[in-house]
Amino acid sequence: MLPALTVPPLALYVHFPWCVRKCPYCDFNSYTLNGALPREPYLARLEKDLEAQAPQLAGREIISVFFGGGTPSLFAPDAIARLLETARRQLKLAADAEVTLEANPGAVERGAFREYRAAGVTRVSLGAQSFDARSLGALGRIHSPEETRTAAAELHAAGLANFNLDLMYALPGQDLRGAVRDVEEALALAPAHLSHYQLTIEAGTVFAAQRPSLPDEDLSAAMRDECAAQLASAGLCRYEVSAWASPRAQCQHNLNYWTFGDYLGVGAGAHGKLSFPASGEIVRTTQLREPRRYLAAADVDLARRTIPQRELPFEFMLNALRLTAGFSAATFTSRTGLPWQAVEGQIRAAIARGFLHRGADRFRPSERGLEFLNEMLVDFLPENPEKPSGSALSMATPKPLPGAVRPLFTAIRGANGE
Ligand SMILES: C[S@@+](CC[C@H](N)C(=O)[O-])C[C@H]1O[C@@H](n2cnc3c(N)ncnc32)[C@H](O)[C@@H]1O
Ligand code: SF4
């Protein structure tokens, strides 16, 4: 008999697909905003989505909300307040729910953070990327280092000290000193959380077509290690491949993805994952990706796919192996509904290769395991040749924050991220 699938915690992801300008390295579901922001139609469509998805939840509580993008900060605080109100009306939002808003330092009104906080935002994730004006230029960013500093100061002043800075390293023309300086500059702004991603060249981006010259593998590894030492000496702990924070400031929303929790996905291209213990099914939901089509659809057109059991080990490990704290066998069985024997052999092999440590009640990736995540993950791929292409594994590299994760099946279909 299979172990019982249990109901995991539930989060809500809301996607905003527009940016002031599309960055040449970015393969997220985001588009340059041409003309006026379709504020009213988009908000109304999101509300309709929330309403349509609520009945299947049977009163389950939402533990976190993430407004991601694209650039959600293009929507003014009253829009975010309105959505949170709708979410409260349609769903059961936990009183202490973490509510994160992604913001671009070049696309947020001065003084708006106070209002976002009043609207119910408890955490902000700021796309700093670098503090070097030349690097920002090469990345096509719309803001200066000074604008990031101003935004961080405003966050502190607004009582939103619980903020994250996104930084990237191994940038075009960057040297070791430059990468470390970026981390020092970021730490000087006293963020509660820092995400540190190696710039990767993604298919379909401008950088893929006109590849910039990037630091080689050895230099990139040296940057990662030097920056890690800086982050650790500043008192931040690495709790995920690319995420650093004190235990109090870990991102609850992302932790829920990485522990294979459930989430509702609302907005253009957003994915969801929902577990139904009564039928033993885990279902992926996908919204129409293209904003115009998403907006035009008269009815809520949500694609649903039950994840085949053979794909669950890889799906679980793709998330759980990113965490420095690893996972327990009990979490694996209760979140997938599979017996431990489904992965026992691969786990034993990963331990033998030095990728995984066995603790009293958990399995934790070693330093080597975190570095060679892809090699460890290959062993969990489904036997059946509906195999993901290389892109499934590129998702496992220390790359962008999965404000909305890129589940295995999207990769199988060769589509882009969320
Ligand atoms: C979806 S973006 C949202 C943040 C916001 N739109 C911004 O850029 O200011 C999340 C983060 O992913 C990271 N990212 C995006 N594309 C990347 C790439 N090709 N390689 C590494 N990191 C990337 C960036 O650090 C970015 O801040
Ligand atoms: S990195 Fe952020 S601002 Fe740039 S295109 Fe992607 S989502 Fe938009």
Side-chain angles (χ1 to χ4, degrees):
M1 204 178 75
L2 285 177
L5 179 67
T6 58
V7 180
L10 177 66
L12 167 65
Y13 177 77
V14 186
H15 191 73
F16 296 82
W18 294 284
C19 296
V20 171
R21 190 168 74 207
K22 179 82 179 175
C23 303
Y25 56 84
C26 176
D27 75 336
F28 282 80
N29 187 28
S30 58
Y31 306 84
T32 296
L33 177 66
N34 288 315
L37 190 70
R39 180 196 138 108
E40 276 312 306
Y42 199 68
L43 290 179
R45 183 65 170 83
L46 291 175
E47 290 181 314
K48 204 162 147 187
D49 249 359
L50 283 170
E51 194 183 336
Q53 293 205 56
Q56 64 190 323
L57 300 177
R60 288 173 65 185
E61 196 173 63
I62 306 276
I63 58 141
S64 64
V65 182
F66 199 103
F67 296 109
T71 307
S73 60
L74 286 175
F75 284 73
D78 64 320
I80 299 299
R82 174 170 147 190
L83 288 173
L84 282 171
E85 221 169 275
T86 308
R88 272 190 210 101
R89 218 175 31 245
Q90 298 289 345
L91 314 165
K92 204 164 127 199
L93 218 56
D96 61 349
E98 174 190 89
V99 179
T100 303
L101 176 87
E102 273 184 346
N104 183 317
V108 64
E109 296 284 321
R110 290 282 77 83
F113 288 129
R114 236 176 248 287
E115 292 172 54
Y116 282 121
R117 183 173 173 224
V121 169
T122 64
R123 183 176 181 275
V124 166
S125 179
L126 205 56
Q129 319 308 353
S130 172
F131 288 86
D132 176 70
R134 256 209 326 224
S135 293
L136 290 175
L139 292 171
R141 298 292 296 181
I142 58 164
H143 57 89
S144 64
E146 210 36 52
E147 280 172 295
T148 305
R149 290 189 196 100
T150 304
E154 287 188 353
L155 282 166
H156 282 290
L160 277 168
N162 185 25
F163 68 90
N164 167 64
L165 292 180
D166 278 345
L167 271 192
M168 295 192 292
Y169 68 96
L171 306 179
Q174 193 177 46
D175 60 12
L176 180 59
R177 183 69 208 118
V180 173
R181 206 177 313 117
D182 271 349
V183 168
E184 288 167 352
E185 298 245 25
L187 289 171
L189 305 181
H193 190 290
L194 198 140
S195 302
H196 196 234
Y197 306 114
Q198 177 170 351
L199 175 67
T200 51
I201 303 296
E202 299 295 335
T205 60
V206 171
F207 273 6
Q210 296 152 29
R211 206 182 169 88
S213 154
L214 299 180
D216 65 18
E217 227 176 277
D218 286 348
L219 179 54
S220 303
M223 289 175 174
R224 180 198 61 215
D225 294 346
E226 268 302 303
C227 292
Q230 288 290 327
L231 291 163
S233 69
L236 298 181
C237 300
R238 185 190 195 191
Y239 70 102
E240 188 263 351
V241 177
S242 314
W244 294 77
S246 69
R248 270 187 319 106
Q250 293 181 356
C251 175
Q252 298 307 309
H253 187 84
N254 287 326
L255 275 174
N256 188 51
Y257 293 140
W258 296 324
T259 51
F260 214 47
D262 279 0
Y263 47 96
L264 276 187
V266 171
H271 290 297
K273 165 190 173 269
L274 294 170
S275 305
F276 297 97
S279 63
E281 284 180 302
I282 302 177
V283 174
R284 286 277 182 212
T285 63
T286 314
Q287 305 274 3
L288 290 170
R289 184 176 163 80
E290 218 266 300
R292 235 172 325 173
R293 286 185 59 212
Y294 174 79
L295 274 171
D299 289 316
V300 174
D301 190 355
L302 193 66
R304 299 172 78 90
R305 177 185 185 255
T306 299
I307 307 176
Q309 282 189 355
R310 67 175 188 284
E311 288 176 13
L312 287 170
F314 181 82
E315 285 245 7
F316 179 90
M317 295 301 167
L318 185 62
N319 289 289
L321 290 175
R322 300 176 69 107
L323 290 172
T324 56
F327 64 95
S328 67
T331 309
F332 174 80
T333 54
S334 64
R335 302 258 160 118
T336 61
L338 296 176
W340 179 241
Q341 288 78 356
V343 289
E344 207 173 17
Q346 295 95 310
I347 293 290
R348 226 180 284 128
I351 293 171
R353 294 170 79 190
F355 287 158
L356 213 54
H357 295 309
R358 183 197 295 268
D361 61 350
R362 309 181 69 78
F363 299 88
R364 294 170 200 268
S366 60
E367 274 293 321
R368 198 174 130 76
L370 287 173
E371 191 174 339
F372 297 102
L373 209 48
N374 289 349
E375 285 185 34
M376 200 173 8
L377 280 167
V378 158
D379 274 359
F380 295 95
L381 282 171
E383 289 294 320
N384 187 307
E386 198 195 349
K387 278 213 168 164
S389 61
S391 60
L393 289 180
S394 83
M395 297 181 311
T397 56
K399 232 208 85 204
L401 185 78
V405 287
R406 302 155 179 234
L408 169 63
F409 81 95
T410 10
I412 289 174
R413 291 181 185 160
N416 266 345
E418 90 306 319

